[in-house]
Amino acid sequence: MTSTPVRVRYAPSPTGDPHVGNIRTAVWTWLYARHMGGQFLVRLEDTDQSRAVPGSLERILESLRWLGLDWDEGPDIGGPYGPYVQSERLPLYQTAAARLIEQGNAYPCFCSSEELDALRARQQAEKRPPGYEGKCRTIAATEARARVDRGEPHVVRFATPHEGSTTVLDLLRGDVTVENRTLDDFVILKSDGFPTYHLAHPVDDTAMAITHVTRGDEWLPSAPRHALLFDALGYRRPIYVHTPIILAPGGGKLSKRHGAKFVLEYAEEGYLPDALLNFLCITGWGHGDETVFTHERLVELFDIADLSLNPATFDMDKLNWLNGLYLREMPERDLAELLARRLERDLPPEVPRPLDRAFVEAMTPLVRERIQVLGDVTALADFFFVDEVPTPPREEFLQKRFKDDAAGAAGALEATAAALDAVTPWETVAIEAALRGLAETSGVRAGDLFTVVRLAVTGKRVSPPLFESIELLGDTRASDALRRSAAMLRA
Ligand code: GLU
């Protein structure tokens, strides 16, 4: 292991909300920093201004914060190696490019975009590989400087060596070698004075003393270019970790359809940050047979070198299962508070806020086994909060035992209301006893009776446990709901 402290970074471009694939690399990077007692920093890579989406930085930081990932340095908090926004660091890249020109490792290129288009077309027609062929590399340095001084538009290209090969060490793959003649003279500084990623990466990761570059494996083919730049600038190369992509179930590119949403969309739907973090971490990394990990345990166990090179599959069922598990294992009070906030957000506007916390706490054990995400609670438990439980349509009642028997169903509900009126104390056990007793004396099978009672009392076919729900709802509201459904059936 290296003796210098580990310094790693998450370097998103401001192209919108981060999606799960991108944030998974951030999760791993953060875990590695915390595992090694090192530093984790955030750097905004906004050198492609044409792709910038306003508000991205805020959404990126909010996503990290929601997941519980903290950073030691970053655009919002600064730090000793700032600024942490690339568009505020332009002089650094320009100085590096000038130095490379001076050393003969780079040169100004004056080719127009029409010329470059024509070159590409020729290469295509002749079935040659694409890439710049070095026309401006032959311009004498003094002439090139004079043209730059005259203000002629130009980019700066790296003068890639024609001979030899370049070997990059990737922590997961070992040595990756390419022949230099397969690399063209790529652009390092654009005509507007902004660097390309190829230049900004070595400059910033060196200036910020980054030890490990963790990034998506779409960058692996460019890594030799970066290594050449590190070498030409006399910088020490970082250790590379190119993280494999996440595949859709059954292979192929992961898309929204498979659950590849933005981090904050998961927050919106009521996933728990710890569950999503756990899920993302184990999608491509594992430790024996364990599936459920707390933050602390991940920090203790996680090593970036243990990432799997096989692309992992995005398993939405596993995420839902994990989320349900986290919901069930959470302290009841904490869950009640989350449910209360969720209900306050989603219940119809006429329900008065804030909700009674003691009531929500009493409800929590009735719903916690039945929801996978917080967002499920409103559809399941709204009847506890609205003034009048909405009466379901008649056809819902007139099934099985009560098929075509509205009077029978109404009678059963009225009898239930009467039986409940006699229940004391008002407790689940007594309520259940009364309803079972009624089933016996009335000759209606308990299952058939409870189905219509459930419909009347909760407004639903599937609900939290019936007797507990009736207890929590209270005798007045329960009897009232039963009588309203009965009246509807008799009408
Ligand atoms: N801005 C690059 C991206 O979002 C960062 C790659 C890197 O981490 O170096 O893909």
Side-chain angles (χ1 to χ4, degrees), residues 203-220:
V203 168
D204 283 345
D205 285 327
T206 302
M208 296 182 178
I210 295 302
T211 54
H212 298 67
V213 167
T214 51
R215 60 183 182 187
D217 66 3
E218 69 274 18
W219 291 112
L220 185 61

Side-chain angles (χ1 to χ4, degrees), residues 9-13 22 43 45 86 197 201 205 213-216 218-219:
R9 82 298 190 282
Y10 174 47
S13 297
N22 188 277
R43 178 176 73 225
E45 304 213 322
Q86 287 186 328
Y197 172 76
H201 149 51
D205 285 327
V213 167
T214 51
R215 60 183 182 187
E218 69 274 18
W219 291 112

